[in-house]
PDB file of all heavy atoms in Angstrom:
ATOM      1  N   TYR A 108      99.227  92.657 107.811  1.00 97.00           N
ATOM      2  CA  TYR A 108      99.261  93.464 106.596  1.00 97.00           C
ATOM      3  C   TYR A 108     100.367  94.512 106.627  1.00 97.00           C
ATOM      4  O   TYR A 108     100.960  94.778 107.675  1.00 97.00           O
ATOM      5  CB  TYR A 108      97.899  94.095 106.319  1.00 97.00           C
ATOM      6  CG  TYR A 108      97.347  94.916 107.450  1.00 97.00           C
ATOM      7  CD1 TYR A 108      97.811  96.214 107.684  1.00 97.00           C
ATOM      8  CD2 TYR A 108      96.353  94.409 108.284  1.00 97.00           C
ATOM      9  CE1 TYR A 108      97.300  96.970 108.722  1.00 97.00           C
ATOM     10  CE2 TYR A 108      95.839  95.158 109.318  1.00 97.00           C
ATOM     11  CZ  TYR A 108      96.319  96.442 109.533  1.00 97.00           C
ATOM     12  OH  TYR A 108      95.821  97.188 110.552  1.00 97.00           O
ATOM     13  N   VAL A 109     100.629  95.089 105.457  1.00 98.00           N
ATOM     14  CA  VAL A 109     101.650  96.130 105.314  1.00 98.00           C
ATOM     15  C   VAL A 109     100.921  97.457 105.139  1.00 98.00           C
ATOM     16  O   VAL A 109     100.127  97.610 104.201  1.00 98.00           O
ATOM     17  CB  VAL A 109     102.549  95.864 104.079  1.00 98.00           C
ATOM     18  CG1 VAL A 109     103.582  96.967 103.901  1.00 98.00           C
ATOM     19  CG2 VAL A 109     103.219  94.502 104.199  1.00 98.00           C
ATOM     20  N   GLU A 110     101.173  98.382 106.034  1.00 97.00           N
ATOM     21  CA  GLU A 110     100.506  99.697 105.964  1.00 97.00           C
ATOM     22  C   GLU A 110     101.574 100.749 105.685  1.00 97.00           C
ATOM     23  O   GLU A 110     102.531 100.859 106.454  1.00 97.00           O
ATOM     24  CB  GLU A 110      99.813  99.959 107.304  1.00 97.00           C
ATOM     25  CG  GLU A 110      98.994 101.224 107.361  1.00 97.00           C
ATOM     26  CD  GLU A 110      97.627 101.081 106.686  1.00 97.00           C
ATOM     27  OE1 GLU A 110      96.713 100.492 107.274  1.00 97.00           O
ATOM     28  OE2 GLU A 110      97.510 101.587 105.556  1.00 97.00           O
ATOM     29  N   VAL A 111     101.431 101.482 104.596  1.00 97.00           N
ATOM     30  CA  VAL A 111     102.415 102.516 104.248  1.00 97.00           C
ATOM     31  C   VAL A 111     101.816 103.865 104.663  1.00 97.00           C
ATOM     32  O   VAL A 111     100.846 104.309 104.048  1.00 97.00           O
ATOM     33  CB  VAL A 111     102.726 102.499 102.732  1.00 97.00           C
ATOM     34  CG1 VAL A 111     103.819 103.494 102.393  1.00 97.00           C
ATOM     35  CG2 VAL A 111     103.119 101.094 102.293  1.00 97.00           C
ATOM     36  N   PRO A 112     102.363 104.499 105.710  1.00 94.00           N
ATOM     37  CA  PRO A 112     101.715 105.709 106.221  1.00 94.00           C
ATOM     38  C   PRO A 112     101.682 106.825 105.174  1.00 94.00           C
ATOM     39  O   PRO A 112     102.544 106.873 104.292  1.00 94.00           O
ATOM     40  CB  PRO A 112     102.575 106.115 107.418  1.00 94.00           C
ATOM     41  CG  PRO A 112     103.801 105.306 107.350  1.00 94.00           C
ATOM     42  CD  PRO A 112     103.594 104.167 106.413  1.00 94.00           C
ATOM     43  N   ASP A 113     100.708 107.675 105.314  1.00 90.00           N
ATOM     44  CA  ASP A 113     100.459 108.815 104.433  1.00 90.00           C
ATOM     45  C   ASP A 113     100.065 108.385 103.023  1.00 90.00           C
ATOM     46  O   ASP A 113      98.929 108.553 102.622  1.00 90.00           O
ATOM     47  CB  ASP A 113     101.663 109.766 104.370  1.00 90.00           C
ATOM     48  CG  ASP A 113     101.871 110.453 105.719  1.00 90.00           C
ATOM     49  OD1 ASP A 113     101.009 110.262 106.600  1.00 90.00           O
ATOM     50  OD2 ASP A 113     102.871 111.157 105.890  1.00 90.00           O
ATOM     51  N   LEU A 114     101.033 107.767 102.318  1.00 92.00           N
ATOM     52  CA  LEU A 114     100.762 107.447 100.910  1.00 92.00           C
ATOM     53  C   LEU A 114      99.556 106.520 100.751  1.00 92.00           C
ATOM     54  O   LEU A 114      98.788 106.652  99.791  1.00 92.00           O
ATOM     55  CB  LEU A 114     101.979 106.755 100.297  1.00 92.00           C
ATOM     56  CG  LEU A 114     102.939 107.640  99.510  1.00 92.00           C
ATOM     57  CD1 LEU A 114     104.053 106.808  98.911  1.00 92.00           C
ATOM     58  CD2 LEU A 114     102.187 108.379  98.405  1.00 92.00           C
ATOM     59  N   ALA A 115      99.380 105.576 101.678  1.00 93.00           N
ATOM     60  CA  ALA A 115      98.290 104.603 101.531  1.00 93.00           C
ATOM     61  C   ALA A 115      96.922 105.241 101.753  1.00 93.00           C
ATOM     62  O   ALA A 115      95.914 104.727 101.276  1.00 93.00           O
ATOM     63  CB  ALA A 115      98.478 103.442 102.500  1.00 93.00           C
ATOM     64  N   ASN A 116      96.911 106.356 102.467  1.00 94.00           N
ATOM     65  CA  ASN A 116      95.607 106.929 102.823  1.00 94.00           C
ATOM     66  C   ASN A 116      95.343 108.293 102.191  1.00 94.00           C
ATOM     67  O   ASN A 116      94.339 108.934 102.478  1.00 94.00           O
ATOM     68  CB  ASN A 116      95.479 107.008 104.354  1.00 94.00           C
ATOM     69  CG  ASN A 116      95.562 105.618 104.952  1.00 94.00           C
ATOM     70  OD1 ASN A 116      94.887 104.713 104.477  1.00 94.00           O
ATOM     71  ND2 ASN A 116      96.416 105.428 105.939  1.00 94.00           N
ATOM     72  N   SER A 117      96.260 108.740 101.336  1.00 95.00           N
ATOM     73  CA  SER A 117      96.027 110.021 100.668  1.00 95.00           C
ATOM     74  C   SER A 117      95.587 109.768  99.221  1.00 95.00           C
ATOM     75  O   SER A 117      95.651 108.637  98.727  1.00 95.00           O
ATOM     76  CB  SER A 117      97.320 110.854 100.674  1.00 95.00           C
ATOM     77  OG  SER A 117      98.302 110.207  99.896  1.00 95.00           O
ATOM     78  N   LEU A 118      95.137 110.830  98.547  1.00 96.00           N
ATOM     79  CA  LEU A 118      94.769 110.786  97.128  1.00 96.00           C
ATOM     80  C   LEU A 118      93.843 109.587  96.845  1.00 96.00           C
ATOM     81  O   LEU A 118      92.799 109.454  97.442  1.00 96.00           O
ATOM     82  CB  LEU A 118      96.046 110.730  96.267  1.00 96.00           C
ATOM     83  CG  LEU A 118      97.035 111.891  96.501  1.00 96.00           C
ATOM     84  CD1 LEU A 118      98.382 111.597  95.875  1.00 96.00           C
ATOM     85  CD2 LEU A 118      96.464 113.185  95.954  1.00 96.00           C
ATOM     86  N   GLU A 119      94.276 108.677  95.949  1.00 95.00           N
ATOM     87  CA  GLU A 119      93.474 107.493  95.607  1.00 95.00           C
ATOM     88  C   GLU A 119      93.160 106.656  96.863  1.00 95.00           C
ATOM     89  O   GLU A 119      92.088 106.073  96.976  1.00 95.00           O
ATOM     90  CB  GLU A 119      94.297 106.673  94.600  1.00 95.00           C
ATOM     91  CG  GLU A 119      93.643 105.438  94.043  1.00 95.00           C
ATOM     92  CD  GLU A 119      92.653 105.706  92.925  1.00 95.00           C
ATOM     93  OE1 GLU A 119      92.327 106.879  92.634  1.00 95.00           O
ATOM     94  OE2 GLU A 119      92.163 104.715  92.364  1.00 95.00           O
ATOM     95  N   GLY A 120      94.087 106.662  97.808  1.00 96.00           N
ATOM     96  CA  GLY A 120      93.904 105.896  99.051  1.00 96.00           C
ATOM     97  C   GLY A 120      92.773 106.451  99.902  1.00 96.00           C
ATOM     98  O   GLY A 120      92.093 105.711 100.617  1.00 96.00           O
ATOM     99  N   ALA A 121      92.557 107.779  99.844  1.00 95.00           N
ATOM    100  CA  ALA A 121      91.474 108.384 100.623  1.00 95.00           C
ATOM    101  C   ALA A 121      90.122 108.023 100.004  1.00 95.00           C
ATOM    102  O   ALA A 121      89.116 107.898 100.704  1.00 95.00           O
ATOM    103  CB  ALA A 121      91.648 109.894 100.662  1.00 95.00           C
ATOM    104  N   LEU A 122      90.118 107.856  98.678  1.00 93.00           N
ATOM    105  CA  LEU A 122      88.860 107.525  98.004  1.00 93.00           C
ATOM    106  C   LEU A 122      88.551 106.037  98.085  1.00 93.00           C
ATOM    107  O   LEU A 122      87.410 105.619  97.919  1.00 93.00           O
ATOM    108  CB  LEU A 122      88.953 107.922  96.511  1.00 93.00           C
ATOM    109  CG  LEU A 122      89.148 109.413  96.234  1.00 93.00           C
ATOM    110  CD1 LEU A 122      89.461 109.646  94.766  1.00 93.00           C
ATOM    111  CD2 LEU A 122      87.887 110.175  96.627  1.00 93.00           C
ATOM    112  N   ARG A 123      89.597 105.217  98.266  1.00 95.00           N
ATOM    113  CA  ARG A 123      89.403 103.753  98.273  1.00 95.00           C
ATOM    114  C   ARG A 123      90.027 103.174  99.547  1.00 95.00           C
ATOM    115  O   ARG A 123      91.119 102.580  99.494  1.00 95.00           O
ATOM    116  CB  ARG A 123      90.054 103.144  97.022  1.00 95.00           C
ATOM    117  CG  ARG A 123      89.517 103.718  95.730  1.00 95.00           C
ATOM    118  CD  ARG A 123      90.145 103.050  94.536  1.00 95.00           C
ATOM    119  NE  ARG A 123      89.836 101.626  94.509  1.00 95.00           N
ATOM    120  CZ  ARG A 123      90.419 100.759  93.694  1.00 95.00           C
ATOM    121  NH1 ARG A 123      91.348 101.152  92.857  1.00 95.00           N
ATOM    122  NH2 ARG A 123      90.092  99.481  93.725  1.00 95.00           N
ATOM    123  N   PRO A 124      89.334 103.340 100.686  1.00 95.00           N
ATOM    124  CA  PRO A 124      89.921 102.906 101.964  1.00 95.00           C
ATOM    125  C   PRO A 124      90.327 101.424 101.917  1.00 95.00           C
ATOM    126  O   PRO A 124      89.565 100.581 101.475  1.00 95.00           O
ATOM    127  CB  PRO A 124      88.785 103.123 102.968  1.00 95.00           C
ATOM    128  CG  PRO A 124      87.814 104.031 102.302  1.00 95.00           C
ATOM    129  CD  PRO A 124      87.966 103.862 100.827  1.00 95.00           C
ATOM    130  N   GLY A 125      91.544 101.167 102.372  1.00 96.00           N
ATOM    131  CA  GLY A 125      92.023  99.774 102.442  1.00 96.00           C
ATOM    132  C   GLY A 125      92.671  99.276 101.156  1.00 96.00           C
ATOM    133  O   GLY A 125      93.351  98.247 101.147  1.00 96.00           O
ATOM    134  N   HIS A 126      92.459  99.992 100.053  1.00 97.00           N
ATOM    135  CA  HIS A 126      92.973  99.506  98.762  1.00 97.00           C
ATOM    136  C   HIS A 126      94.495  99.339  98.793  1.00 97.00           C
ATOM    137  O   HIS A 126      95.030  98.279  98.447  1.00 97.00           O
ATOM    138  CB  HIS A 126      92.559 100.477  97.654  1.00 97.00           C
ATOM    139  CG  HIS A 126      93.262 100.243  96.350  1.00 97.00           C
ATOM    140  ND1 HIS A 126      93.053  99.105  95.593  1.00 97.00           N
ATOM    141  CD2 HIS A 126      94.195 100.978  95.689  1.00 97.00           C
ATOM    142  CE1 HIS A 126      93.824  99.163  94.515  1.00 97.00           C
ATOM    143  NE2 HIS A 126      94.527 100.274  94.541  1.00 97.00           N
ATOM    144  N   PHE A 127      95.202 100.388  99.220  1.00 98.00           N
ATOM    145  CA  PHE A 127      96.665 100.320  99.143  1.00 98.00           C
ATOM    146  C   PHE A 127      97.260  99.397 100.212  1.00 98.00           C
ATOM    147  O   PHE A 127      98.355  98.876 100.024  1.00 98.00           O
ATOM    148  CB  PHE A 127      97.275 101.720  99.220  1.00 98.00           C
ATOM    149  CG  PHE A 127      97.153 102.463  97.915  1.00 98.00           C
ATOM    150  CD1 PHE A 127      96.563 103.716  97.852  1.00 98.00           C
ATOM    151  CD2 PHE A 127      97.638 101.911  96.733  1.00 98.00           C
ATOM    152  CE1 PHE A 127      96.452 104.396  96.650  1.00 98.00           C
ATOM    153  CE2 PHE A 127      97.533 102.579  95.520  1.00 98.00           C
ATOM    154  CZ  PHE A 127      96.935 103.829  95.477  1.00 98.00           C
ATOM    155  N   ARG A 128      96.533  99.210 101.320  1.00 98.00           N
ATOM    156  CA  ARG A 128      96.991  98.224 102.300  1.00 98.00           C
ATOM    157  C   ARG A 128      96.985  96.832 101.624  1.00 98.00           C
ATOM    158  O   ARG A 128      97.915  96.050 101.773  1.00 98.00           O
ATOM    159  CB  ARG A 128      96.057  98.220 103.503  1.00 98.00           C
ATOM    160  CG  ARG A 128      96.303  97.049 104.425  1.00 98.00           C
ATOM    161  CD  ARG A 128      95.134  96.818 105.331  1.00 98.00           C
ATOM    162  NE  ARG A 128      95.024  97.887 106.289  1.00 98.00           N
ATOM    163  CZ  ARG A 128      94.086  97.937 107.230  1.00 98.00           C
ATOM    164  NH1 ARG A 128      93.185  96.987 107.311  1.00 98.00           N
ATOM    165  NH2 ARG A 128      94.042  98.940 108.069  1.00 98.00           N
ATOM    166  N   GLY A 129      95.937  96.589 100.850  1.00 98.00           N
ATOM    167  CA  GLY A 129      95.829  95.311 100.139  1.00 98.00           C
ATOM    168  C   GLY A 129      96.922  95.148  99.101  1.00 98.00           C
ATOM    169  O   GLY A 129      97.514  94.076  98.952  1.00 98.00           O
ATOM    170  N   VAL A 130      97.211  96.240  98.369  1.00 98.00           N
ATOM    171  CA  VAL A 130      98.259  96.176  97.342  1.00 98.00           C
ATOM    172  C   VAL A 130      99.616  95.917  98.006  1.00 98.00           C
ATOM    173  O   VAL A 130     100.370  95.026  97.599  1.00 98.00           O
ATOM    174  CB  VAL A 130      98.309  97.492  96.523  1.00 98.00           C
ATOM    175  CG1 VAL A 130      99.534  97.522  95.619  1.00 98.00           C
ATOM    176  CG2 VAL A 130      97.038  97.673  95.692  1.00 98.00           C
TER     177      VAL A 130
END
Side-chain angles (χ1 to χ4, degrees):
Y108 55 79
V109 178
E110 184 79 77
V111 184
D113 293 354
L114 263 183
N116 299 312
S117 65
L118 303 167
E119 183 80 352
L122 297 170
R123 302 182 62 191
H126 168 67
F127 283 126
R128 169 198 291 181
V130 171

